[in-house]
Amino acid sequence: MTQETIFARLNTLLERNQMNKMHGALLMLNVVDIAEFMEELEANRLLKFFRILPKDIAADVFAYLDSEKQQELIELISDGEINDLIDDMYLDDTVDFLEELPAVVVHRILQNTNAEKRELINRFLKYPANSAGSIMTIEYAELQENSTVAQAIETLRKTGLDKETIYTCYVIGTGRQLLGFVELRHLILAKPDEIMTNIMNSNVISVKTTDDRETVADLVRKYDLLSLPVTDNEGRLVGIVTVDDIIDVLDAENTEDMELMRGLLPSDDEYMKTPVATLFAKRIPWLLILMVSATFTGMIITHFSDVLSTTGRLGVLLTACLPMLMDTGGNCGSQSSTLVIRSMALGQIGFTDFFQVWWREVRVAFLVGLTLCVANVARQLLLYTFTDGVTIDTVTVTFVVSFAMFLTVIIAKSLGCILPLFAKKIKLDPAIMAGPIITTIVDACALTILFTIATKFM
Amino acid sequence: MTQETIFARLNTLLERNQMNKMHGALLMLNVVDIAEFMEELEANRLLKFFRILPKDIAADVFAYLDSEKQQELIELISDGEINDLIDDMYLDDTVDFLEELPAVVVHRILQNTNAEKRELINRFLKYPANSAGSIMTIEYAELQENSTVAQAIETLRKTGLDKETIYTCYVIGTGRQLLGFVELRHLILAKPDEIMTNIMNSNVISVKTTDDRETVADLVRKYDLLSLPVTDNEGRLVGIVTVDDIIDVLDAENTEDMELMRGLLPSDDEYMKTPVATLFAKRIPWLLILMVSATFTGMIITHFSDVLSTTGRLGVLLTACLPMLMDTGGNCGSQSSTLVIRSMALGQIGFTDFFQVWWREVRVAFLVGLTLCVANVARQLLLYTFTDGVTIDTVTVTFVVSFAMFLTVIIAKSLGCILPLFAKKIKLDPAIMAGPIITTIVDACALTILFTIATKFM
């Protein structure tokens, strides 16, 4: 049966109130699919459906609902049910979900949670946004340094099912110090009376709660980890970050980079769920800054206006090439900045590679500039053959524009690699340097170059 | 000890030829770090160092070397060593590594591999680029449908350490049909005499060998999987894709999107390892296309040149606003296209949301256009106060430009969402529609609007 057929069947059963017949259909669905099905239900059915979910999956399903639906459901269920739900949910999911709720709802939920859990939640809510602490979970498997393999396996049997992952178990000392890790596959193959310190790998990679989530993602990517332990400032194990959350981090970081590269203020919200006013607010700041900075390009044109007006038709022909010149410059610059920014994000280059990167870009720019130059001479002369005719004047315009373009390409590609590298050096996000800023600077350069050459030759 | 100190110590030991003292230092390093250390060694030391690596990690370390270093090493070691290496490596790593080598080296390696492995490698090399088959591994844990828990655990004990992951075990029927999966954590908790069909989860998510790697990544992301089974067209299990490879896929897909959005032909190569000629070849096609298409914007300007030349100073003032108008239009359009493309890539919107998306963009464009319009009136009037003075003429220019900008913003944002959605509909990569193309189209629109309004009012 396809997912659609199962959804249809569930809907029919809901309509006929045959809740007892639902379990068969539910068994064919993953918790993610069940959450997807629930997204479409209105309040009355949502509550009925949620209440027949098997207890062992209800919390998982809830964690996969989007935050609006979570809030809707929370407002429908009883205090007792809230308590059960929070009890069954992984702490990182609970915190994610609470962060999206209005304060009054959070208050009600925390009131219905036991003191210990409440304290934990409050501590988690205080980790800085985008820190390792804010994305970690406390449902990890820990083993004491002096316990035997047999004892360890017994511990995992008892508590393993409540842990987010038991595939990498962390070994801690008496003060909860993180000492090493043991993979479950090695544990089940080890001799029962071996003790942890002898079989563990003490070469353990970890982060601190305050480290940035990007650092966490970089380590998971580099070392192909399934989970990464998080310690406090004293080196005590306090949580783990699992790889599924890292995939979300990577998605978020990439979205952020793409948004910054296009002059958008980044946010974690889904496009379709962001109010129009917020979309507006994300976009207008950079547009205003760039519009105002375009005053300079305007002033350059006005400044050279004498050249333009005395040359009559020549001025018009020169003006007609402005969009081509500026767009080519902008495109060249943003090509370079995109490659450099992306390589930095993937940890392939850094500020120390400055001269190597710049020298590559200059060589590429030379080739690109030369090719475009030749192509443009051909293009403009062909155009003039059918319009103004090929005269000394049009040939001059052609060569002035082409030469200006060559220089613009060299400058654009140089800026395209230099600006992001410098941004990184002064701890700015390099992605900001990609798009609109470079375009604006390159525009100003292109115009100055063009008019300087034009005043020399025309 | 920090990684640097360990690297320094290894170098000293290598220099003094004290290979027997190295094991202590090696124990403190992860295979990824050891590979990083080897990247810096020249041929002689590289070979010496590789030969003292403990046999159980040599293949892993080799898999993490970059392809140039892999090739260098392969040319140094003996045929017997090649055979051992290929034997110990996971098949997906072997295939990745062979794909980067010159044919003659591949030939030598395949000659030194046993027939069975050679056939497997050849089959893998034939999977289409970027398909599930090309990124899967065959080192997965499979269990027979009728085996008991005790038998299953025994099988895993015997073969588990050679598998890339045994945390999700796949249950197959007599014809190797994929029937379900069992998580290791559930397996070790189950009664020893239960048979697989009773404890397995038959709701298994899988892909076919020919499915695109993006499909695989989407499923892993959606269902938070650690591995995903791959079947042939008859539903027989042939491999799995693990989450660490999915992270690489996500990185590659994001790089590809960013490159396409900036008019670059995408490639999987690292920036610093790409020859200048290749970098040139990645960039020049779109630059040429866009330069040639800028002929139209040039023609629009020439066409309206009569308006410009008869108005004298007014024409100059109008021309001075062209960069601002075109850049603002381009920025608005690419903001919208970036958000829409990203939401499509994350599976949040599709072509069916067309009207909803467009209606959102129109409302945002209205707010953005109005704000920019007001800001521009203020900006231009302020500028004229200090230059040409606020006269009927300059006020007219101000309002003509501002009104043209308002309309340009509406068009730019509409195109910014419509073009990527249509691209998806006709099976093009939406990312192509983001940057340069939209800029060029919006430029042409902006100029036509400006001059049409200008001829009406001036």
Side-chain angles (χ1 to χ4, degrees), chain B residues 271-282:
Chain B
Y271 174 78
M272 291 298 270
K273 287 173 185 155
T274 315
V276 169
T278 314
L279 286 177
F280 165 74
K282 278 178 77 159

Side-chain angles (χ1 to χ4, degrees), chain A residues 171-402:
Chain A
V171 181
I172 54 170
T174 39
R176 296 197 52 74
Q177 247 63 30
L178 175 63
L179 301 178
F181 69 95
V182 184
E183 281 189 54
L184 182 62
R185 58 203 289 177
H186 292 131
L187 199 62
I188 60 174
L189 296 178
K191 290 196 204 105
D193 55 351
E194 278 283 16
I195 67 163
M196 285 306 118
T197 30
N198 292 338
I199 62 160
M200 75 181 185
N201 188 333
S202 57
N203 175 23
V204 58
I205 294 149
S206 68
V207 289
K208 299 218 179 307
T209 48
T210 47
D211 283 344
D212 193 86
R213 63 178 183 179
E214 240 180 307
T215 312
V216 183
D218 288 343
L219 288 172
V220 169
R221 175 196 278 141
K222 178 172 178 188
Y223 294 104
D224 289 346
L225 305 171
L226 292 181
S227 60
L228 181 70
V230 184
T231 65
D232 61 14
N233 284 324
E234 280 74 45
R236 290 180 297 234
L237 182 63
V238 290
I240 60 168
V241 179
T242 50
V243 68
D244 54 313
D245 292 326
I246 290 304
I247 288 183
D248 297 338
V249 169
L250 289 176
D251 282 342
E253 294 288 338
N254 282 314
T255 305
E256 192 182 301
D257 276 0
M258 289 185 196
E259 292 184 341
L260 282 175
M261 283 160 90
R262 285 323 179 96
L264 290 152
L265 300 186
S267 75
D268 279 347
D269 303 325
E270 264 190 46
Y271 174 78
M272 291 298 270
K273 285 173 187 157
T274 314
V276 169
T278 313
L279 285 177
F280 165 74
K282 278 179 76 159
R283 302 182 193 192
I284 199 71
W286 271 109
L287 290 175
L288 279 174
I289 293 172
L290 295 166
M291 193 190 76
V292 172
S293 64
T295 308
F296 297 104
T297 47
M299 281 163 75
I300 295 171
I301 293 184
T302 335
H303 176 73
F304 285 99
S305 60
D306 296 335
V307 185
L308 289 174
S309 51
T310 55
T311 53
R313 183 65 183 172
L314 273 189
V316 171
L317 294 182
L318 212 56
T319 313
C321 293
L322 288 184
M324 189 277 294
L325 187 67
M326 292 191 303
D327 282 351
T328 303
N331 290 335
C332 282
S334 57
Q335 280 185 338
S336 302
S337 61
T338 302
L339 286 177
V340 169
I341 288 164
R342 188 64 185 152
S343 301
M344 278 197 278
L346 295 177
Q348 293 161 355
I349 59 174
F351 189 74
T352 46
D353 301 306
F354 188 89
F355 286 106
Q356 267 180 289
V357 172
W358 179 74
W359 176 230
R360 301 192 128 234
E361 285 304 310
V362 169
R363 282 176 294 165
V364 175
F366 186 83
L367 291 175
V368 166
L370 213 61
T371 314
L372 290 180
C373 211
V374 172
N376 189 55
V377 169
R379 181 188 75 92
Q380 275 191 268
L381 290 182
L382 191 71
L383 181 72
Y384 293 145
T385 314
F386 295 103
T387 54
D388 288 63
V390 180
T391 62
I392 299 251
D393 279 355
T394 51
V395 170
T396 311
V397 169
T398 305
F399 279 94
V400 165
V401 170
S402 302

